Amino acid sequence: MRYINHEEVAVRTKKRLTKNTLLKGVFAAATAFGLIVLAILLYRIITQGSGYLSLDFFTSFASRIPEDSGIRAAIAGSIYLMLVVAPVSMFLGVGTAIYLEEYATKNKFNDLIKVNISNLAGVPSVVFGLLGLTIFVRFFDLGISILAAGLTMSLLILPIIIVASQEAIRAVPNELREASFAMGATKWQTILRVVLPASIPGILTGSILALSRAIGETAPLVVIGIPTILFFMPEGIMSTFTALPMQIFDWTKRPQVEFHDVAAAGIIVLMALLIIMNSIAVFIRNKYQKRY
Amino acid sequence: MAMNEPKQISVQELIAQKSNRGLLAFTEKLIPKLLLAIAVVSVLTTIGIVFTLIFETITFFTQVNIFDFLTGTEWYPFANSTPTYGILPLIVGTLKITIIATLVAGPIGIATAIYLSEYASDRVRRIVKPVLEVLAGVPTIVYGFFALTFVTPILRSVFPEIAIFNAVSPGIVVGIMIIPMIASLSEDAMSSVPNAMRDGAYALGATKLEVALKIVLPAALSGIVASTVLAISRAIGETMIVAVAAGSTPGFNWDVTGSIQTMTAYIVQVTTGDAGYGTTIYYSIYAVGFTLFIFTLLMNMLAQFISKRFREEY
């Protein structure tokens, strides 16, 4: 005697199994969609821009003629910008993270700081531009300078660095701290010599990712009023400058189609920079991240 | 014995004596205060944002009636004779982009999350997830360029009535930008649904699809909704894609084939042009920025509320 009627079961489950297979395909297609778009985006930009990518492109300034246009001022401006953003945002971000993870007791004010950081992360970048324009450019009278733009960008990426550093510091096991205390070290000595060295890979990884975000950001620079066409190199942090995304924005807006190809060439450089920075971040994470 | 007693000091007291002296003790007291001051910078930033927006917006409302601003359906700040400042067209423009983006990213993002969490093997997930996240890291100006030079021409070859600057193309591209946000956060929410619940359903003879749709999806719903709300907030605040590809014609209608303007694109238009400092147009960007800020703040708070209030703990 058979307890299970296999034919009957097969008939009944067939529909449900077909539906399962069908929708699995749909879900897989949705996943593939994102990947395909990314591939098309990269392919388009490389084929469109590679023709303009030459040594001259890096060494010449912007021009009215597409063939003569280059990103010399923009590249220099972006690098100068990072020279301000990296130390300022990391100092503020890591400092805040140490305070929140090592010193902050649970009270209303510290809760406020935490809630505030997560809300700050959701503020659109264009609003940060308005902040920079009002406070740094006008109120502190820094002008449309590398310093004003750098401070604005630093505040923009601050939440990312804080959260990444917090996670890195939290991942340091308490045994390490206790061992340090047991040797007679003070709290700050423990943080400086035990906790920070152990969490540096995580902090660096998060900071590099945040900086790569800052390199690509355009909206705050536009709102501050950074010019797009400059024929000189920045001289110091109070100097006016232009940045890579601003230059790309300018070329994209132009009606002549040739400038779109120049924009694509600029995008190749920008994306290459981002990929290099991301690879460094991944490398640091894989090489130095210890598991306790 | 009695002679020695006054000199006897416990080790703890010795340590306390030593550590209360000199530079070391001073640093120990100073550092927390210094770090607190650094932490306060982020609070000051928020205060700075709110105050600049409020102050300049108030100045704007001394020149433009607040009621006209909130209910006006015409936004022509650059008109020579009688400029009008009714924000509704900008809000409608922003909503068009946001709705299109959500229609693209919602289904695709959640379907991606279901695939990665329920169907994909560990290896596929480990490769696909970070690659997808590259999409979120692409600078928005690059997306703007992509929308204008790739998506719009394709759309126009299929639907010739679409204008060069329109709402559909940037809407789709904003959607593509926020797919990884929805997919990644939803996948996290689905992965945290315990396997025991899946096994229970399998034991009853459920297929993978039934487990995904009837067990995992409802259990992870709060996380999925929160991630979607967060992504919508990002779409509302997105600037460069719309500034490049959506045009600059604010209109109070639901047509998506023609040129539109969003709140963010208006701010970009004014700041790249030459509206002088102190003019009504200059102050109008703060009123628009304030409106935008309130929209995104409400969405972010909603997302936080949903993920806290409705989170299921297993």
Side-chain angles (χ1 to χ4, degrees):
Chain A
M1 189 184 151
R2 287 167 64 191
Y3 292 101
I4 299 173
N5 185 343
H6 284 284
E7 281 160 34
E8 181 66 22
V9 169
V11 168
R12 286 197 187 183
T13 52
K14 192 165 182 262
K15 224 168 132 188
R16 291 166 55 213
L17 284 175
T18 324
K19 215 167 139 192
N20 179 43
T21 320
L22 207 71
L23 275 167
K24 181 185 174 181
V26 171
F27 294 147
T31 310
F33 176 81
L35 303 177
I36 291 168
V37 169
L38 186 65
I40 293 176
L41 180 99
L42 293 177
Y43 174 77
R44 275 278 302 183
I45 282 160
I46 289 170
T47 50
Q48 207 177 348
S50 55
Y52 280 89
L53 216 54
S54 64
L55 195 61
D56 286 347
F57 186 68
F58 289 92
T59 55
S60 38
F61 291 107
S63 165
R64 250 179 300 158
I65 308 156
E67 283 76 16
D68 296 346
S69 294
I71 51 169
R72 185 171 170 186
I75 281 273
S78 280
I79 291 171
Y80 269 76
L81 189 65
M82 284 309 116
L83 290 182
V84 174
V85 177
V88 173
S89 62
M90 281 181 71
F91 176 75
L92 293 176
V94 177
T96 306
I98 294 174
Y99 175 76
L100 288 177
E101 289 303 315
E102 301 289 331
Y103 286 105
T105 49
K106 184 144 181 66
N107 62 33
K108 279 250 165 65
F109 184 72
N110 292 330
D111 282 348
L112 173 83
I113 296 181
K114 281 175 202 162
V115 170
N116 175 61
I117 289 166
S118 61
N119 272 326
L120 209 56
V123 175
S125 58
V126 70
V127 173
F128 275 96
L130 288 175
L131 173 81
L133 176 67
T134 322
I135 303 285
F136 298 128
V137 176
R138 298 221 192 271
F139 187 73
F140 288 127
D141 206 19
L142 298 178
I144 303 168
S145 61
I146 292 172
L147 183 61
L151 292 177
T152 309
M153 272 313 182
S154 303
L155 295 182
L156 175 69
I157 62 169
L158 189 56
I160 312 176
I161 297 190
I162 294 175
V163 172
S165 306
Q166 271 184 291
E167 272 167 25
I169 291 170
R170 211 176 299 149
V172 177
N174 261 330
E175 285 85 342
L176 288 187
R177 293 184 184 86
E178 282 156 8
S180 170
F181 289 139
M183 301 295 283
T186 62
K187 185 150 193 175
W188 178 239
Q189 284 172 333
T190 304
I191 292 170
L192 202 62
R193 295 177 195 168
V194 176
V195 178
L196 269 185
S199 55
I200 273 278
I203 291 173
L204 272 184
T205 308
S207 302
I208 293 172
L209 292 180
L211 286 178
S212 75
R213 165 105 193 272
I215 279 198
E217 270 292 346
T218 324
L221 300 181
V222 174
V223 174
I224 287 176
I226 304 299
T228 50
I229 296 174
L230 281 186
F231 300 100
F232 53 84
M233 301 285 277
E235 282 156 359
I237 55 167
M238 294 313 289
S239 170
T240 306
F241 74 109
T242 190
L244 209 42
M246 286 300 292
Q247 190 73 74
I248 295 166
F249 178 46
D250 180 59
W251 283 327
T252 305
K253 276 193 311 176
R254 288 177 185 237
Q256 303 98 314
V257 184
E258 294 79 26
F259 273 112
H260 287 175
D261 299 345
V262 184
I267 289 173
I268 294 177
V269 176
L270 180 64
M271 295 286 282
L273 264 179
L274 296 187
I275 290 170
I276 291 170
M277 291 179 75
N278 281 301
S279 318
I280 293 174
V282 171
F283 174 77
I284 291 175
R285 184 163 55 202
N286 290 346
K287 180 143 172 97
Y288 296 103
Q289 197 87 302
K290 269 185 245 164
R291 289 203 174 271
Y292 294 99
Chain B
M1 277 304 274
M3 272 168 65
N4 286 339
E5 248 174 6
K7 284 182 192 166
Q8 241 177 16
I9 303 173
S10 73
V11 177
Q12 275 96 341
E13 281 169 49
L14 257 175
I15 294 173
Q17 262 183 21
K18 205 170 153 69
S19 61
N20 274 330
R21 280 197 308 253
L23 197 64
L24 199 66
F26 180 69
T27 332
E28 284 303 315
K29 287 204 180 87
L30 184 72
I31 292 285
K33 296 192 175 71
L34 215 66
L35 290 173
L36 175 65
I38 293 172
V40 164
V41 170
S42 67
V43 179
L44 288 180
T45 307
T46 308
I47 294 174
I49 288 175
V50 172
F51 269 80
T52 49
L53 290 178
I54 286 180
F55 275 132
E56 307 285 33
T57 304
I58 287 173
T59 316
F60 175 73
F61 286 135
T62 60
Q63 298 168 16
V64 173
N65 188 326
I66 183 168
F67 187 73
D68 291 347
F69 176 76
L70 291 176
T71 60
T73 55
E74 284 190 335
W75 182 265
Y76 294 121
F78 297 103
N80 283 324
S81 50
T82 48
T84 52
Y85 296 91
I87 194 156
L88 290 181
L90 292 184
I91 292 180
V92 166
T94 305
L95 286 181
K96 284 182 202 168
I97 297 288
T98 309
I99 290 169
I100 295 170
T102 312
L103 289 179
V104 171
I108 294 181
I110 293 169
T112 303
I114 292 176
Y115 182 76
L116 289 181
S117 140
E118 302 304 311
Y119 289 97
S121 66
D122 254 2
R123 233 184 88 201
V124 170
R125 189 179 317 138
R126 267 208 304 275
I127 297 168
V128 169
K129 224 180 155 184
V131 174
L132 262 184
E133 260 150 31
V134 174
L135 272 181
V138 171
T140 54
I141 180 67
V142 177
Y143 275 127
F145 177 80
F146 185 66
L148 184 69
T149 64
F150 183 70
V151 179
T152 302
I154 287 183
L155 286 174
R156 272 158 65 85
S157 65
V158 184
F159 309 100
E161 69 271 22
I162 292 181
I164 290 185
F165 296 112
N166 59 71
V168 187
S169 160
I172 292 172
V173 174
V174 172
I176 290 169
M177 182 191 82
I178 59 175
I179 285 175
M181 240 184 125
I182 297 182
S184 190
L185 293 176
S186 300
E187 203 260 332
D188 290 343
M190 290 180 190
S191 298
S192 64
V193 174
N195 265 333
M197 290 177 68
R198 292 188 184 83
D199 295 342
Y202 287 135
L204 293 171
T207 64
K208 222 164 198 172
L209 179 73
E210 285 156 354
V211 170
L213 293 187
K214 292 178 185 168
I215 306 294
V216 178
L217 208 62
L221 197 62
S222 74
I224 296 170
V225 174
S227 76
T228 310
V229 173
L230 216 55
I232 292 174
S233 162
R234 181 68 68 84
I236 293 176
E238 188 0 76
T239 310
M240 296 321 288
I241 302 176
V242 286
V244 165
S248 53
T249 325
F252 189 63
N253 56 58
W254 290 102
D255 173 34
V256 292
T257 59
S259 168
I260 63 154
Q261 190 164 47
T262 64
M263 294 189 269
T264 51
Y266 173 72
I267 297 173
V268 167
Q269 186 196 3
V270 171
T271 47
T272 48
D274 40 20
Y277 174 68
T279 60
T280 311
I281 291 182
Y282 172 80
Y283 288 117
S284 73
I285 59 175
Y286 290 92
V288 172
F290 195 33
T291 315
L292 172 71
F293 178 74
I294 288 177
F295 267 74
T296 51
L297 185 70
L298 288 179
M299 297 300 278
N300 292 332
M301 281 161 59
L302 179 68
Q304 280 170 28
F305 174 75
I306 291 171
S307 62
K308 268 211 191 97
R309 175 73 179 72
F310 296 103
R311 186 166 51 207
E312 312 247 352
E313 298 275 0
Y314 300 105

